[in-house]
Coordinates of all heavy atoms in Angstrom, one line a residue:
D1056 N -34.8 -36.9 6.2 CA -34.2 -37.0 7.5 C -34.3 -35.6 8.1 O -33.6 -34.7 7.7 CB -32.7 -37.4 7.3 CG -32.0 -37.7 8.7 OD1 -32.4 -37.1 9.7 OD2 -31.0 -38.4 8.7
A1057 N -35.1 -35.5 9.2 CA -35.3 -34.2 9.8 C -34.1 -33.7 10.5 O -33.8 -32.5 10.4 CB -36.5 -34.3 10.8
I1058 N -33.3 -34.6 11.0 CA -32.0 -34.1 11.7 C -31.1 -33.6 10.6 O -30.4 -32.5 10.8 CB -31.4 -35.3 12.5 CG1 -32.3 -35.7 13.6 CG2 -30.0 -34.9 13.0 CD1 -31.8 -37.0 14.3
A1059 N -30.9 -34.3 9.5 CA -30.0 -33.8 8.4 C -30.5 -32.5 7.9 O -29.7 -31.6 7.6 CB -30.0 -34.9 7.3
R1060 N -31.8 -32.3 7.8 CA -32.4 -31.1 7.2 C -32.0 -29.9 8.1 O -31.6 -28.8 7.6 CB -33.9 -31.2 7.1 CG -34.5 -29.9 6.5 CD -36.1 -29.9 6.6 NE -36.5 -29.8 8.0 CZ -36.4 -28.7 8.7 NH1 -36.0 -27.6 8.1 NH2 -36.8 -28.6 10.0
V1061 N -32.1 -30.1 9.4 CA -31.7 -29.0 10.4 C -30.2 -28.7 10.3 O -29.8 -27.6 10.3 CB -32.1 -29.4 11.8 CG1 -31.5 -28.4 12.8 CG2 -33.6 -29.5 11.9
Q1062 N -29.4 -29.8 10.1 CA -28.0 -29.6 9.9 C -27.7 -28.7 8.7 O -26.9 -27.7 8.8 CB -27.3 -30.9 9.7 CG -27.0 -31.7 10.9 CD -26.2 -33.0 10.5 OE1 -26.8 -33.9 10.0 NE2 -24.9 -33.0 10.7
L1063 N -28.4 -29.0 7.6 CA -28.2 -28.3 6.4 C -28.7 -26.9 6.5 O -28.1 -25.9 6.0 CB -28.9 -29.1 5.2 CG -28.2 -30.3 4.8 CD1 -29.2 -31.3 4.1 CD2 -27.0 -30.0 3.9
Q1064 N -29.9 -26.7 7.1 CA -30.4 -25.4 7.3 C -29.4 -24.5 8.1 O -29.2 -23.3 7.7 CB -31.7 -25.4 8.1 CG -32.4 -24.1 8.3 CD -33.6 -24.2 9.1 OE1 -33.8 -25.2 9.9 NE2 -34.5 -23.2 9.0
D1065 N -28.8 -25.0 9.1 CA -27.8 -24.3 9.9 C -26.6 -23.9 9.1 O -26.1 -22.8 9.2 CB -27.4 -25.1 11.1 CG -28.5 -25.2 12.2 OD1 -29.5 -24.4 12.1 OD2 -28.3 -26.1 13.1
L1066 N -26.2 -24.8 8.2 CA -25.0 -24.5 7.4 C -25.3 -23.4 6.3 O -24.5 -22.5 6.1 CB -24.5 -25.8 6.7 CG -23.9 -26.8 7.6 CD1 -23.8 -28.2 7.0 CD2 -22.5 -26.3 8.0
F1067 N -26.5 -23.5 5.7 CA -26.9 -22.5 4.7 C -27.1 -21.2 5.4 O -26.8 -20.1 4.8 CB -28.1 -22.9 4.0 CG -27.8 -23.9 2.8 CD1 -28.2 -25.2 2.9 CD2 -27.1 -23.4 1.7 CE1 -27.9 -26.0 1.8 CE2 -26.8 -24.3 0.7 CZ -27.2 -25.6 0.7
T1068 N -27.6 -21.2 6.7 CA -27.7 -19.9 7.4 C -26.4 -19.3 7.7 O -26.2 -18.1 7.5 CB -28.5 -20.2 8.7 OG1 -29.8 -20.7 8.4 CG2 -28.6 -18.9 9.5
A1069 N -25.4 -20.1 8.0 CA -24.0 -19.7 8.3 C -23.4 -19.1 7.0 O -22.7 -18.1 7.0 CB -23.2 -20.8 8.8
W1070 N -23.7 -19.8 5.9 CA -23.2 -19.3 4.6 C -23.8 -18.0 4.2 O -23.1 -17.0 3.8 CB -23.5 -20.4 3.6 CG -22.7 -20.3 2.3 CD1 -21.9 -19.3 1.8 CD2 -22.6 -21.3 1.3 NE1 -21.3 -19.6 0.6 CE2 -21.8 -20.8 0.3 CE3 -23.2 -22.6 1.2 CZ2 -21.5 -21.6 -0.9 CZ3 -22.9 -23.3 0.0 CH2 -22.0 -22.8 -1.0
E1071 N -25.1 -17.9 4.4 CA -25.8 -16.6 4.1 C -25.3 -15.5 5.0 O -25.2 -14.4 4.5 CB -27.3 -16.9 4.3 CG -28.2 -15.7 3.8 CD -29.7 -16.1 3.9 OE1 -30.0 -17.3 3.8 OE2 -30.5 -15.2 4.1
E1072 N -24.9 -15.8 6.2 CA -24.4 -14.8 7.1 C -23.1 -14.2 6.6 O -22.8 -13.0 6.8 CB -24.3 -15.3 8.5 CG -23.9 -14.3 9.6 CD -24.9 -13.1 9.7 OE1 -26.1 -13.3 9.3 OE2 -24.5 -12.0 10.1
L1073 N -22.3 -15.1 6.0 CA -21.0 -14.6 5.4 C -21.3 -13.5 4.3 O -20.6 -12.5 4.2 CB -20.2 -15.7 4.8 CG -19.7 -16.8 5.8 CD1 -19.0 -17.9 5.0 CD2 -18.8 -16.2 6.8
F1074 N -22.3 -13.7 3.5 CA -22.7 -12.7 2.5 C -23.2 -11.5 3.2 O -22.9 -10.3 2.8 CB -23.7 -13.3 1.6 CG -23.2 -14.2 0.5 CD1 -23.5 -15.6 0.6 CD2 -22.4 -13.8 -0.5 CE1 -23.0 -16.4 -0.4 CE2 -21.9 -14.6 -1.4 CZ -22.2 -16.0 -1.4
A1075 N -24.0 -11.7 4.3 CA -24.5 -10.5 5.0 C -23.4 -9.7 5.6 O -23.4 -8.4 5.6 CB -25.5 -11.0 6.1
D1076 N -22.4 -10.3 6.2 CA -21.3 -9.6 6.7 C -20.5 -8.8 5.6 O -20.1 -7.7 5.9 CB -20.3 -10.6 7.4 CG -20.8 -11.2 8.7 OD1 -21.7 -10.6 9.3 OD2 -20.3 -12.2 9.1
L1077 N -20.4 -9.4 4.5 CA -19.7 -8.7 3.4 C -20.5 -7.5 3.0 O -19.9 -6.4 2.8 CB -19.7 -9.7 2.2 CG -19.0 -9.2 0.8 CD1 -18.5 -10.4 0.1 CD2 -20.0 -8.4 0.0
L1078 N -21.8 -7.6 2.9 CA -22.7 -6.5 2.6 C -22.7 -5.4 3.7 O -22.7 -4.2 3.4 CB -24.1 -6.9 2.3 CG -24.2 -7.8 1.0 CD1 -25.5 -8.6 1.0 CD2 -24.0 -7.0 -0.2
R1079 N -22.5 -5.8 4.9 CA -22.4 -4.8 6.0 C -21.1 -4.0 5.8 O -21.0 -2.8 6.1 CB -22.4 -5.5 7.3 CG -23.8 -6.1 7.7 CD -23.9 -6.6 9.1 NE -25.1 -7.3 9.3 CZ -25.2 -8.6 9.3 NH1 -24.1 -9.4 9.2 NH2 -26.4 -9.2 9.5
R1080 N -20.0 -4.7 5.4 CA -18.8 -4.0 5.1 C -19.0 -3.0 4.0 O -18.4 -1.9 4.0 CB -17.6 -5.0 4.8 CG -17.2 -5.8 6.0 CD -15.9 -6.5 5.7 NE -16.0 -7.5 4.6 CZ -16.4 -8.8 4.8 NH1 -16.8 -9.2 6.0 NH2 -16.4 -9.6 3.8
F1081 N -19.7 -3.4 2.9 CA -20.0 -2.5 1.8 C -20.8 -1.3 2.4 O -20.5 -0.1 1.9 CB -20.9 -3.2 0.8 CG -20.1 -4.0 -0.2 CD1 -18.8 -4.5 0.1 CD2 -20.6 -4.3 -1.5 CE1 -18.1 -5.3 -0.8 CE2 -19.9 -5.0 -2.4 CZ -18.7 -5.5 -2.1
Q1082 N -21.7 -1.5 3.3 CA -22.4 -0.3 3.9 C -21.4 0.6 4.7 O -21.5 1.8 4.5 CB -23.5 -0.8 4.8 CG -24.7 -1.4 4.1 CD -25.8 -1.8 5.1 OE1 -25.5 -2.4 6.1 NE2 -27.1 -1.5 4.8
Q1083 N -20.6 0.0 5.5 CA -19.6 0.7 6.3 C -18.7 1.6 5.4 O -18.3 2.7 5.8 CB -18.8 -0.2 7.1 CG -19.6 -0.9 8.2 CD -18.9 -2.0 8.9 OE1 -17.7 -2.2 8.6 NE2 -19.5 -2.7 9.8
D1084 N -18.4 1.0 4.2 CA -17.5 1.7 3.3 C -18.2 2.6 2.3 O -17.6 3.2 1.4 CB -16.6 0.7 2.6 CG -15.7 0.0 3.5 OD1 -15.4 0.4 4.6 OD2 -15.2 -1.1 3.1
G1085 N -19.5 2.8 2.5 CA -20.3 3.7 1.7 C -20.6 3.2 0.2 O -20.9 4.0 -0.6
L1086 N -20.4 1.9 0.0 CA -20.6 1.3 -1.3 C -22.1 1.1 -1.6 O -22.6 1.2 -2.8 CB -19.9 0.0 -1.5 CG -18.4 0.1 -1.4 CD1 -17.7 -1.2 -1.6 CD2 -17.8 1.1 -2.4
I1087 N -22.9 0.8 -0.6 CA -24.3 0.6 -0.8 C -25.0 1.4 0.3 O -24.4 1.7 1.4 CB -24.8 -0.9 -0.8 CG1 -24.4 -1.6 0.6 CG2 -24.1 -1.6 -1.9 CD1 -24.9 -3.0 0.7
P1088 N -26.3 1.7 0.2 CA -27.0 2.5 1.1 C -27.0 1.9 2.5 O -27.1 0.7 2.7 CB -28.4 2.7 0.6 CG -28.3 2.4 -0.9 CD -27.2 1.4 -1.0
E1089 N -27.0 2.7 3.5 CA -27.1 2.2 4.9 C -28.4 1.5 5.2 O -28.5 0.7 6.1 CB -26.9 3.4 5.9 CG -25.5 4.0 5.9 CD -25.3 5.0 6.9 OE1 -26.3 5.3 7.7 OE2 -24.2 5.6 7.0
D1090 N -29.5 1.9 4.5 CA -30.8 1.3 4.8 C -31.1 0.1 3.9 O -32.2 -0.4 3.9 CB -31.9 2.4 4.6 CG -32.0 2.9 3.2 OD1 -31.0 2.6 2.4 OD2 -32.9 3.7 2.9
A1091 N -30.1 -0.3 3.1 CA -30.2 -1.5 2.3 C -30.5 -2.7 3.2 O -29.8 -2.9 4.3 CB -29.0 -1.8 1.4
D1092 N -31.4 -3.6 2.9 CA -31.7 -4.8 3.7 C -30.6 -5.9 3.4 O -30.8 -6.6 2.4 CB -33.1 -5.3 3.3 CG -33.6 -6.4 4.2 OD1 -32.7 -7.1 4.8 OD2 -34.8 -6.6 4.4
V1093 N -29.6 -5.9 4.2 CA -28.5 -6.9 3.9 C -28.9 -8.3 4.0 O -28.4 -9.2 3.2 CB -27.2 -6.6 4.8 CG1 -26.7 -5.2 4.5 CG2 -27.6 -6.7 6.2
E1094 N -29.8 -8.6 4.9 CA -30.3 -10.0 5.0 C -31.0 -10.5 3.7 O -30.8 -11.6 3.2 CB -31.2 -10.2 6.2 CG -30.5 -10.2 7.5 CD -30.1 -8.8 8.0 OE1 -30.6 -7.8 7.5 OE2 -29.2 -8.8 8.9
Q1095 N -31.8 -9.6 3.2 CA -32.5 -9.9 2.0 C -31.6 -10.0 0.8 O -31.7 -10.9 0.0 CB -33.6 -8.8 1.7 CG -34.5 -9.1 0.5 CD -35.5 -8.0 0.2 OE1 -35.1 -6.9 -0.2 NE2 -36.7 -8.2 0.6
L1096 N -30.6 -9.1 0.7 CA -29.6 -9.2 -0.4 C -28.8 -10.4 -0.3 O -28.4 -11.0 -1.3 CB -28.7 -7.9 -0.3 CG -29.4 -6.6 -0.7 CD1 -28.5 -5.4 -0.4 CD2 -29.9 -6.6 -2.2
A1097 N -28.4 -10.8 1.0 CA -27.6 -12.0 1.2 C -28.4 -13.2 0.7 O -27.8 -14.2 0.1 CB -27.2 -12.1 2.6
T1098 N -29.7 -13.3 1.0 CA -30.5 -14.4 0.6 C -30.5 -14.5 -1.0 O -30.5 -15.5 -1.6 CB -32.0 -14.2 1.1 OG1 -32.0 -14.3 2.5 CG2 -32.9 -15.4 0.6
G1099 N -30.6 -13.3 -1.6 CA -30.6 -13.2 -3.1 C -29.3 -13.8 -3.6 O -29.3 -14.5 -4.6
L1100 N -28.2 -13.4 -3.0 CA -26.9 -13.9 -3.5 C -26.7 -15.4 -3.4 O -26.3 -16.1 -4.3 CB -25.8 -13.2 -2.7 CG -25.4 -11.8 -3.1 CD1 -24.5 -11.1 -2.1 CD2 -24.7 -11.9 -4.5
I1101 N -27.1 -16.0 -2.2 CA -26.9 -17.4 -2.0 C -28.0 -18.2 -2.9 O -27.7 -19.3 -3.4 CB -27.0 -17.8 -0.6 CG1 -26.4 -19.2 -0.4 CG2 -28.5 -17.8 0.0 CD1 -26.1 -19.6 1.0
A1102 N -29.1 -17.6 -3.1 CA -30.1 -18.2 -4.0 C -29.6 -18.2 -5.4 O -29.8 -19.2 -6.2 CB -31.5 -17.5 -3.9
A1103 N -29.0 -17.1 -5.9 CA -28.4 -17.1 -7.2 C -27.3 -18.1 -7.3 O -27.2 -18.8 -8.4 CB -27.9 -15.7 -7.5
L1104 N -26.5 -18.2 -6.3 CA -25.4 -19.2 -6.3 C -25.9 -20.6 -6.4 O -25.4 -21.4 -7.3 CB -24.5 -19.0 -5.1 CG -23.3 -20.0 -4.9 CD1 -22.3 -19.9 -6.0 CD2 -22.7 -19.7 -3.6
Q1105 N -26.8 -21.0 -5.6 CA -27.3 -22.3 -5.6 C -28.1 -22.7 -6.8 O -28.0 -23.7 -7.4 CB -28.2 -22.6 -4.3 CG -27.4 -22.6 -3.0 CD -26.3 -23.7 -3.0 OE1 -26.6 -24.9 -3.4 NE2 -25.1 -23.4 -2.6
G1106 N -28.9 -21.7 -7.3 CA -29.7 -21.9 -8.5 C -28.7 -22.0 -9.7 O -28.9 -22.8 -10.6
G1107 N -27.6 -21.2 -9.6 CA -26.6 -21.4 -10.7 C -25.9 -22.7 -10.7 O -25.7 -23.3 -11.8
Y1108 N -25.6 -23.2 -9.5 CA -25.1 -24.6 -9.4 C -26.0 -25.6 -10.1 O -25.6 -26.5 -10.8 CB -24.8 -25.0 -8.0 CG -23.5 -24.6 -7.4 CD1 -23.3 -23.8 -6.4 CD2 -22.3 -25.2 -8.0 CE1 -22.1 -23.5 -5.8 CE2 -21.1 -24.9 -7.5 CZ -20.9 -24.0 -6.4 OH -19.7 -23.7 -5.9
L1109 N -27.3 -25.5 -9.8 CA -28.3 -26.5 -10.3 C -28.4 -26.4 -11.8 O -28.4 -27.4 -12.5 CB -29.6 -26.2 -9.6 CG -30.8 -27.2 -10.0 CD1 -30.4 -28.6 -9.7 CD2 -32.0 -26.8 -9.3
L1110 N -28.5 -25.2 -12.3 CA -28.6 -25.0 -13.7 C -27.4 -25.5 -14.5 O -27.5 -26.1 -15.5 CB -28.9 -23.6 -14.1 CG -30.3 -23.0 -13.6 CD1 -30.4 -21.5 -13.9 CD2 -31.4 -23.8 -14.4
A1111 N -26.2 -25.2 -13.9 CA -25.0 -25.6 -14.5 C -24.9 -27.2 -14.5 O -24.4 -27.8 -15.5 CB -23.8 -25.0 -13.8
Q1112 N -25.4 -27.8 -13.4 CA -25.3 -29.2 -13.3 C -26.2 -29.9 -14.4 O -25.8 -30.9 -15.0 CB -25.7 -29.6 -11.9 CG -25.7 -31.1 -11.6 CD -26.0 -31.5 -10.2 OE1 -26.6 -30.7 -9.5 NE2 -25.8 -32.7 -9.8
T1113 N -27.4 -29.4 -14.6 CA -28.3 -30.0 -15.5 C -27.9 -29.7 -16.9 O -28.2 -30.6 -17.8 CB -29.8 -29.5 -15.2 OG1 -29.8 -28.1 -15.3 CG2 -30.3 -30.0 -13.9
S1114 N -27.3 -28.6 -17.2 CA -27.0 -28.2 -18.6 C -25.6 -28.6 -19.0 O -25.2 -28.6 -20.1 CB -27.2 -26.7 -18.8 OG -26.3 -26.0 -18.0
R1115 N -24.8 -29.0 -17.9 CA -23.3 -29.2 -18.1 C -22.6 -28.0 -18.7 O -21.8 -28.1 -19.6 CB -23.1 -30.5 -19.0 CG -23.5 -31.8 -18.3 CD -22.7 -32.1 -17.1 NE -22.9 -33.5 -16.6 CZ -23.8 -33.8 -15.7 NH1 -24.5 -32.8 -15.1 NH2 -24.0 -35.0 -15.3
D1116 N -23.0 -26.9 -18.2 CA -22.5 -25.6 -18.8 C -22.6 -24.6 -17.6 O -23.6 -24.4 -17.0 CB -23.4 -25.2 -20.0 CG -22.9 -23.9 -20.6 OD1 -21.9 -23.3 -20.1 OD2 -23.6 -23.4 -21.5
V1117 N -21.5 -23.9 -17.4 CA -21.5 -23.0 -16.2 C -22.0 -21.6 -16.6 O -22.1 -20.7 -15.7 CB -20.0 -22.8 -15.7 CG1 -19.5 -24.1 -15.1 CG2 -19.1 -22.2 -16.8
T1118 N -22.4 -21.4 -17.9 CA -22.9 -20.1 -18.3 C -24.1 -19.7 -17.4 O -24.2 -18.5 -17.0 CB -23.3 -20.1 -19.8 OG1 -22.2 -20.4 -20.5 CG2 -23.9 -18.8 -20.2
P1119 N -25.1 -20.5 -17.1 CA -26.3 -20.1 -16.3 C -25.8 -19.6 -14.9 O -26.4 -18.7 -14.4 CB -27.2 -21.3 -16.2 CG -26.8 -22.1 -17.4 CD -25.3 -21.9 -17.6
M1120 N -24.8 -20.3 -14.4 CA -24.3 -19.9 -13.0 C -23.7 -18.5 -13.1 O -24.0 -17.6 -12.3 CB -23.3 -20.8 -12.5 CG -22.4 -20.3 -11.4 SD -21.1 -21.4 -10.8 CE -22.0 -22.3 -9.6
A1121 N -22.9 -18.2 -14.2 CA -22.3 -16.9 -14.3 C -23.3 -15.8 -14.5 O -23.2 -14.8 -13.9 CB -21.3 -17.0 -15.6
I1122 N -24.4 -16.1 -15.2 CA -25.4 -15.2 -15.5 C -26.2 -14.9 -14.1 O -26.4 -13.7 -13.8 CB -26.4 -15.7 -16.5 CG1 -25.8 -15.7 -17.9 CG2 -27.7 -14.8 -16.6 CD1 -26.6 -16.4 -19.0
A1123 N -26.5 -15.9 -13.4 CA -27.2 -15.7 -12.1 C -26.4 -14.9 -11.2 O -27.0 -14.0 -10.5 CB -27.5 -17.1 -11.5
L1124 N -25.1 -15.1 -11.0 CA -24.3 -14.3 -10.1 C -24.1 -12.9 -10.7 O -24.1 -11.9 -9.9 CB -22.9 -15.0 -10.0 CG -23.0 -16.3 -9.2 CD1 -21.6 -17.0 -9.2 CD2 -23.4 -16.1 -7.7
D1125 N -24.0 -12.8 -12.0 CA -23.9 -11.4 -12.5 C -25.1 -10.6 -12.3 O -25.0 -9.4 -12.0 CB -23.6 -11.5 -14.0 CG -22.2 -12.0 -14.4 OD1 -21.3 -11.9 -13.5 OD2 -22.0 -12.4 -15.5
V1126 N -26.3 -11.2 -12.4 CA -27.5 -10.4 -12.1 C -27.5 -9.9 -10.7 O -27.9 -8.8 -10.4 CB -28.7 -11.3 -12.4 CG1 -30.0 -10.6 -11.9 CG2 -28.9 -11.5 -13.9

Side-chain angles (χ1 to χ4, degrees):
D1056 185 335
I1058 296 173
R1060 185 191 65 76
V1061 172
Q1062 281 183 284
L1063 288 158
Q1064 181 183 22
D1065 289 344
L1066 289 165
F1067 277 111
T1068 297
W1070 198 347
E1071 189 172 330
E1072 186 60 25
L1073 294 178
F1074 284 112
D1076 287 342
L1077 181 155
L1078 293 166
R1079 292 187 190 101
R1080 292 193 296 274
F1081 276 24
Q1082 284 182 320
Q1083 292 168 4
D1084 294 343
L1086 297 180
I1087 61 175
E1089 291 183 2
D1090 61 353
D1092 189 332
V1093 295
E1094 284 78 16
Q1095 186 181 75
L1096 292 170
T1098 298
L1100 279 167
I1101 199 165
L1104 177 61
Q1105 289 301 314
Y1108 269 120
L1109 180 60
L1110 291 173
Q1112 183 178 13
T1113 54
S1114 65
R1115 293 293 190 268
D1116 180 3
V1117 296
T1118 302
M1120 166 184 270
I1122 292 172
L1124 291 174
D1125 285 344
V1126 168

